[in-house]
């Protein structure tokens, strides 16, 4: 699932270990008006034989107050720097998490731009122990709000290699791997949909597929105009060394519009579909990747999901900004089974602090409310 690998805190706060190998939807770059300057600086550095330059470090401890994994702290560190002739900065991320439920996780990730941004490489590995909750599968299980405790011990990684095939369009292979051991006391289960089959408890996911991007944004961390669309089709297979055979499709479109010199309207539409044969932890999960904020990730899971949302972003003074957001979505066994009677609305407000003025990286604090739930978020990078 495409949660924010390079927004490390959001990834580490996610209660599902599948987040450990999720691809970023938050790349980093400078606005186009700075691209020529950055390219000249890159060429000068190349001629002088210098290594990475224009280094910025965004590092912060992040409090975690998540009903799924407990209370604790995450530490996120993003290094942004220019390399070679790339007009875009490379990104290195390190992160860690620990909570009072003895949940912990660690990760390292890298985003690289080669050949003057003709090639984009993403890679990441991580692992941890997540003491979380399982509500069951489907909208009715989520509304019921009754969970059983489970412990998930996992490790995984991803690698993606994209090449520019047309203006603003990238295409290439993606591979994801996850090994997960699940411990659950079946005596705690109260409903049939909470029974986790033994074959789902010590498993491996190995999935290979195709990923694509369309990107016209003026900046990745703080865009004010443009479109960013992503899509990925993955085939998990026993032939690749996994425990299951199933398909997974993810797609999202983000849009950004400048309203006035201090305000931006951003919107996002996302869909997810997972075919039959997938274990419960590979189903589409509502509330992941900020789709939508206000819900406990993992409370609503099923084979199909969609979410749409809009966010008003405004600069206030100095490095401080504020946002207001709202959205709606749904999960179901299939898109044909969805109904307006089962919509899940969400909304909230937040504050922003610009931690890196050079690259436009914000630290965000959001408070959101969903249908019968609420959530508090602190993270590096915008929600989308």
């Amino acid at each position: 699932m495409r949660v924010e690998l390079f927004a490390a805190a959001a990834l580490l706060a996610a209660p599902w270990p599948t987040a450990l190998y999720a691809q970023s939807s938050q790349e980093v770059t400078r606005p186009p008006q700075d691209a020529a300057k950055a390219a000249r600086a890159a060429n000068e550095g190349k001629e002088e034989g210098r290594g990475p330059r224009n280094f910025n470090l965004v590092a912060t401890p992040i409090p975690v107050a998540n009903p799924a994994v407990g209370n604790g702290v995450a530490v996120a560190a993003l290094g942004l720097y220019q390399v070679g002739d790339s007009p875009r900065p490379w990104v290195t991320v390190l992160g860690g998490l620990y909570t009072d439920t003895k949940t912990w996780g660690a990760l390292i990730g890298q985003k690289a731009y080669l050949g003057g941004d003709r090639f984009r490489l993403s890679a990441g590995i991580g692992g941890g122990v997540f003491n979380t909750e399982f509500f069951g599968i489907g909208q009715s299980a989520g509304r019921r709000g009754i969970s059983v405790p489970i412990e998930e011990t996992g490790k995984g990684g991803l690698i993606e290699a994209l090449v520019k095939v047309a203006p603003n369009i990238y295409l290439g292979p993606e591979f994801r791997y996850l090994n997960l051991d699940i411990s659950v006391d079946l005596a705690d289960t109260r409903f049939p949909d909470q029974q986790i089959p033994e074959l789902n408890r010590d498993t491996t996911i190995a999935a290979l597929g195709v990923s694509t991007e369309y990107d016209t944004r003026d900046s990745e961390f703080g865009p004010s105009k443009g479109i960013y669309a992503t899509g990925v089709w993955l085939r998990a297979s026993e032939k690749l060394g996994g425990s299951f055979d199933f398909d997974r499709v993810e797609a999202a479109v983000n849009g950004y519009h400048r309203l006035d010199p201090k305000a931006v309207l951003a919107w996002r539409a996302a869909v997810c579909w997972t075919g039959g044969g997938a274990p419960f932890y590979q189903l589409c999960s509502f509330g992941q990747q900020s789709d939508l904020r206000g819900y406990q990730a993992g409370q609503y899971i099923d084979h199909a999901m969609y979410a749409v949302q809009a966010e008003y972003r405004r600069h206030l003074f100095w490095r401080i900004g504020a946002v207001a957001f709202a959205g709606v979505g749904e999960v179901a066994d299939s898109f044909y089974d969805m109904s307006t009677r089962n919509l899940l609305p969400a909304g909230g407000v937040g504050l922003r602090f610009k931690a890196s003025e050079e690259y436009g990286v914000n630290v965000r604090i959001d408070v959101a409310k969903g249908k019968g739930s609420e959530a508090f978020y602190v993270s590096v990078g915008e929600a989308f």
Side-chain angles (χ1 to χ4, degrees), residues 4 6-7 24-28 217 220-221 228 381-384:
E4 305 164 356
F6 298 106
S24 168
S25 62
Q26 303 273 354
E27 300 165 35
V28 186
R217 293 171 297 175
E220 274 70 26
F221 268 103
Y228 181 55
E382 295 293 351
F384 59 91

Side-chain angles (χ1 to χ4, degrees), residues 274-327:
T274 301
F280 77 93
Y281 60 84
Q282 283 289 287
L283 299 182
C284 303
S285 177
F286 204 71
Q288 289 277 39
Q289 197 182 343
S290 304
D291 290 329
L292 292 165
R293 282 162 285 179
Y295 290 92
Q296 177 177 330
Q299 183 171 351
Y300 292 92
I301 63 173
D302 216 324
H303 288 271
M305 184 211 76
Y306 81 87
V308 294
Q309 60 181 313
E311 182 170 284
Y312 177 77
R313 302 171 179 174
R314 188 167 189 87
H315 175 255
L316 298 179
F317 61 91
W318 188 49
R319 297 188 179 191
I320 304 299
V323 306
F325 52 88

Side-chain angles (χ1 to χ4, degrees), residues 344-360:
L344 297 169
V349 296
L351 290 175
R352 300 292 183 267
F353 173 75
K354 188 159 290 185
S356 171
E357 289 189 293
E358 183 173 8
Y359 295 111

Side-chain angles (χ1 to χ4, degrees), residues 215-247:
D215 191 357
T216 63
R217 293 171 297 175
D218 59 348
S219 173
E220 274 70 26
F221 268 103
S224 62
K225 63 179 181 179
I227 297 291
Y228 181 55
T230 62
V232 61
W233 166 77
L234 293 166
R235 176 63 180 174
S237 174
E238 295 182 26
K239 294 180 180 179
L240 297 173
S243 305
F244 304 95
D245 291 311
F246 64 91
D247 293 291

